[in-house]
Amino acid sequence: MHTTNVQSNHNEEKKFNVFPIMISLLIAGFIGMFSETALNVALTELMTLLDIGPSTVQWLTTGYLLTLGILVPVTGFLLQWFTTRQLFIASLIFSIIGTLVAAMAPNFEILLLARVIQAIGTGLLLPLMFNTILLIFPMEKRGAAMGIIGLVIMFAPAIGPTISGLLLANLSWHWIFWLSLPFLVIALIFGIMFMQNVSTITKPKFDILSILLSTVGFGGVVFGFSSAGEEGGWGSQRVIMSLIIGVVALVLFAFRQLSLKQPMMNLRAFKYPMFVIGLLMVFISMMVILSSMLVIPMYLQKGLELSALTAGLILLPGGLINGFLSPVMGRLFDKYGPKWLVIPGLAIIIVTLWFLSGISTASTIAIIIVLHSCLMIGIAMIMMPAQTNGLNQLPRELYPDGTAIMNTLQQVAGAIGTAVAVSIMSAGTAKYMKTVTDISDPTNEVNALTVGVQNAFIFALIVAIVGFIISLFIKKVKVVHS
């Protein structure tokens, strides 16, 4: 009985037309990730054009993250209810509507609504992408396939700021969205023509309480951390209440999942030690990368007084190196396993962050480019190998849950990383300003920001050291599940 099962699975795998499926996923994933970061460089300009403050404009990113944080946990459940084609087409329709509304948005409110609609599209697509790869590729080829996905996921955010910097210099911010639209339409046509149904529909029971607890839990945590970056900081009532409500809801959500026969998100995936280590590696990488991606442009624009386009170009080499290294790391992972990539990767990140914690207004652009590139090389050595190794340990029926857990915690890590980095940076800046005699002197402001930036990198360094200790326990998964 067992062998026929394996045989039928194997035959199914052979029928997939892998190349067109991958192309559809990659185009859609690229534009989804591009629109997530392309707007970051435009935020300063949007504050002037739409007459809003920094705490308001931050919601264009926070609203996006919040929607992902709420939706992604539910996708493991959706993957078992709807076919691959249905979910792919739905995700692209949401992305197209959101992008079109954003391209025509006359004010902040409409733009925020458009970002939420876009995020629904991305939230459906990301877990679908990982789950499909786990199903259409055999274990020994997954590293390379995940590496190609890594190329797209890292390449889009890398060129996002540069392209939007160019668009802002020559056209308006609306063009960030007009540029994405034709690509999304192409991906949709490609998907309708070539996307195949790869997952098994099991239709688990719809549990409304699980969905409510997940929404309040993940939403509360992401909202709480994101709000901590605003005025009032960690001490504000809104932040404390959001975090308490979020954590309580998550604890109740976990108990609920463990008591159900068919849980919405199967937490039994946590029984697999390499999955847990992979998850922690991805969590730490996302915290480091997203806090750095926020702090470095601020330092370049406010500390070194460079333009948005120049800041985007300085970050470009690191992003490109990271993107191109992802498939290489994927192949090396297939050949040698995760240990020889993840541990050295974290060592590189620790050394780089140590240097970054000492940057000042005297630091040259060349030093920033080299350090940012080293950071991105380290991230490429960790992200995909740790993620693939972790998911490889799960049995086939836990793939949808494993990918949903991974993707959810990436969004949460992003929100936590950015919020903590911004608050540490603001606190460091404010503390320095209290010690100066002449507040009106502009050099003091720049020096204060530099101190804040250094503090933010010290925080990232501590996180990376914790990651390095955990990484010593990583092992290649040898168990092959049918």
Side-chain angles (χ1 to χ4, degrees):
M1 182 68 209
H2 188 67
T3 44
T4 47
N5 245 357
V6 176
Q7 197 56 43
S8 67
N9 273 344
H10 193 65
N11 289 346
E12 269 172 44
E13 273 173 25
K14 286 204 155 166
K15 274 188 246 162
F16 297 136
N17 200 350
V18 173
F19 187 68
I21 293 178
M22 283 291 282
I23 296 288
S24 316
L25 289 171
L26 292 173
I27 299 173
F30 180 81
I31 296 298
M33 297 308 291
F34 169 79
S35 60
E36 191 172 335
T37 56
L39 208 59
N40 284 359
V41 173
L43 294 181
T44 318
E45 189 166 317
L46 284 169
M47 280 157 57
T48 316
L49 291 172
L50 303 174
D51 192 26
I52 47 177
S55 56
T56 311
V57 84
Q58 190 193 336
W59 278 100
L60 292 174
T61 308
T62 305
Y64 196 93
L65 274 175
L66 190 59
T67 310
L68 288 178
I70 289 169
L71 183 67
V72 177
V74 188
T75 52
F77 176 78
L78 294 176
L79 284 166
Q80 292 162 309
W81 258 89
F82 299 99
T83 67
T84 315
R85 274 178 67 84
Q86 285 169 338
L87 284 174
F88 183 76
I89 291 166
S91 93
L92 275 163
I93 288 170
F94 275 113
S95 296
I96 289 168
I97 294 169
T99 306
L100 187 62
V101 173
M104 299 191 296
N107 56 29
F108 173 75
E109 287 75 17
I110 304 287
L111 183 56
L112 182 59
L113 173 70
R115 291 292 282 165
V116 169
I117 300 169
Q118 270 189 321
I120 294 172
T122 311
L124 288 172
L125 184 74
L126 286 177
L128 181 70
M129 201 148 80
F130 286 107
N131 193 55
T132 305
I133 282 183
L134 289 173
L135 291 169
I136 64 176
F137 285 97
M139 195 192 249
E140 63 280 4
K141 288 190 182 156
R142 269 183 213 156
M146 286 283 203
I148 294 165
I149 291 281
L151 164 67
V152 166
I153 285 180
M154 297 319 304
F155 190 67
I159 63 164
T162 312
I163 290 177
S164 57
L166 275 169
L167 291 171
L168 289 170
N170 300 295
L171 298 156
S172 76
W173 61 268
H174 291 93
W175 281 93
I176 294 171
F177 300 104
W178 285 122
L179 184 72
S180 306
L181 208 53
F183 290 103
L184 288 169
V185 174
I186 291 165
L188 177 63
I189 295 165
F190 231 92
I192 290 170
M193 287 165 66
F194 299 112
M195 184 55 75
Q196 290 171 273
N197 294 325
V198 301
S199 52
T200 319
I201 306 297
T202 54
K203 298 208 171 179
K205 201 165 150 281
F206 188 76
D207 183 47
I208 196 86
L209 183 60
S210 291
I211 289 175
L212 277 173
L213 289 171
S214 156
T215 304
V216 174
F218 289 109
V221 170
V222 173
F223 180 80
F225 273 105
S226 302
S227 306
E230 298 174 26
E231 289 95 283
W234 297 96
S236 84
Q237 210 168 353
R238 186 167 66 162
V239 172
I240 296 165
M241 287 312 292
S242 303
L243 289 175
I244 290 172
I245 292 168
V247 170
V248 169
L250 283 181
V251 172
L252 294 173
F253 173 74
F255 278 119
R256 177 80 183 155
Q257 299 319 291
L258 294 168
S259 68
L260 289 173
K261 225 181 202 132
Q262 285 186 310
M264 183 186 100
M265 184 189 266
N266 197 333
L267 300 181
R268 286 172 185 86
F270 284 99
K271 282 197 312 196
Y272 297 87
M274 286 309 114
F275 173 74
V276 175
I277 287 181
L279 196 61
L280 289 169
M281 292 294 103
V282 169
F283 193 87
I284 284 165
S285 299
M286 286 303 283
M287 276 181 80
V288 168
I289 198 170
L290 282 170
S291 54
S292 306
M293 288 300 276
L294 189 91
V295 171
I296 295 175
M298 277 190 185
Y299 162 75
L300 293 171
Q301 285 174 305
K302 290 185 180 168
L304 301 185
E305 292 176 340
L306 301 169
S307 69
L309 179 58
T310 313
L313 287 169
I314 288 171
L315 297 177
L316 186 61
L320 294 180
I321 289 168
N322 181 292
F324 289 126
L325 274 180
S326 276
V328 178
M329 294 304 164
R331 279 193 219 99
L332 288 172
F333 165 77
D334 284 338
K335 208 169 175 185
Y336 302 108
K339 203 172 194 117
W340 302 110
L341 296 170
V342 175
I343 297 173
L346 274 152
I348 291 170
I349 285 178
I350 288 169
V351 173
T352 308
L353 288 171
W354 184 76
F355 278 111
L356 279 169
S357 69
I359 56 171
S360 67
T361 43
S363 303
T364 61
I365 288 175
I367 285 175
I368 303 295
I369 293 173
V370 169
L371 289 175
H372 180 248
S373 300
C374 288
L375 197 62
M376 289 307 201
I377 290 168
I379 294 286
M381 293 172 80
I382 301 163
M383 279 290 276
M384 284 301 150
Q387 197 165 3
T388 313
N389 193 58
L391 290 169
N392 274 349
Q393 199 182 22
L394 297 179
R396 192 186 174 94
E397 67 273 10
L398 284 179
Y399 287 166
D401 301 288
T403 51
I405 293 167
M406 281 263 185
N407 284 290
T408 303
L409 287 179
Q410 279 192 35
Q411 307 311 326
V412 175
I416 293 173
T418 14
V420 177
V422 167
S423 54
I424 288 176
M425 188 171 78
S426 310
T429 307
K431 196 175 172 188
Y432 182 89
M433 287 306 278
K434 280 182 192 160
T435 62
V436 300
T437 42
D438 183 10
I439 294 178
S440 58
D441 184 356
T443 54
N444 281 333
E445 265 184 54
V446 175
N447 291 339
L449 177 83
T450 308
V451 169
V453 167
Q454 289 172 348
N455 290 355
F457 281 121
I458 291 168
F459 155 71
L461 176 63
I462 294 164
V463 171
I465 291 169
V466 172
F468 181 78
I469 295 163
I470 298 168
S471 75
L472 299 173
F473 298 95
I474 201 163
K475 287 201 286 281
K476 186 172 186 176
V477 175
K478 287 192 172 71
V479 190
V480 180
H481 297 282
S482 62

